[in-house]
Amino acid sequence: FMASEVLVEKKKLENPPLEIHYLGDRALRYPAKRITKVDAEIRELARQMLQTMYSAEGIGLAAPQVAIHKQLIVIDCEPDNAANPPLILVNPTIKKASRDICVAQEGCLSIPGVYLDVKRPEAIEVSYKDEHGRPKTIAATGLLSRAIQHEMDHLTGVLFVDRVENRLALAQELDKYGFSSQAVQPVA
Ligand code: ZN
């Protein structure tokens, strides 16, 4: 029964299996490598990432956030809904992005406390492999679209704060939560 292999109870663990790295840590800036084989080791990593994500009350986590530079992300936009299965994306690629851009507030488990507006395409189509190496595509809008784009940024060493246009608000928020603006690497 393959689906059970990465089933994870949605709860907070006292000692989550992986350590999340924070803004300022170089680990967040290295690009992730493509996964050549989706095997039991990758499924175990996905399971531990989900446990760590639920423990931190997040809705997404990318492997570089736990200093593992593999193209693996986990997402669950309904962490309080036990019936909603989490998404596990291996080697995700954006196939299409809408011209419609929308603005919404984002946060990140690697930058706790900080929430700021980021512009992103409203809708995307993404191809990836699932936890059994099966090729899949997903069309996403709204929160799921945003979560996937945010997590995929982590795979190239980009953080949401790099995309924040309001520099004053950015500096104030980072300072408020004890992060340095020097750790931001603005995109284009
Ligand atoms: Zn993040």
Side-chain angles (χ1 to χ4, degrees), residues 103-114:
V103 178
Q105 212 169 53
E106 291 186 22
C108 179
L109 292 180
S110 292
I111 319 171
V114 175

Side-chain angles (χ1 to χ4, degrees), residues 142-161:
L143 180 61
L144 180 59
S145 168
R146 186 163 286 273
I148 293 173
Q149 293 178 68
H150 173 117
E151 298 311 328
M152 283 185 67
D153 268 352
H154 279 296
L155 301 181
T156 55
V158 173
L159 302 174
F160 87 93
V161 287

Side-chain angles (χ1 to χ4, degrees), residues 23 105-108 111-116 160-161 164 169-170 173-179:
L23 177 65
Q105 212 169 53
E106 291 186 22
C108 179
I111 319 171
V114 175
Y115 292 90
L116 290 159
F160 87 93
V161 287
V164 170
L170 176 61
E173 277 286 288
L174 290 176
D175 186 57
K176 190 168 152 192
Y177 292 97
F179 294 105

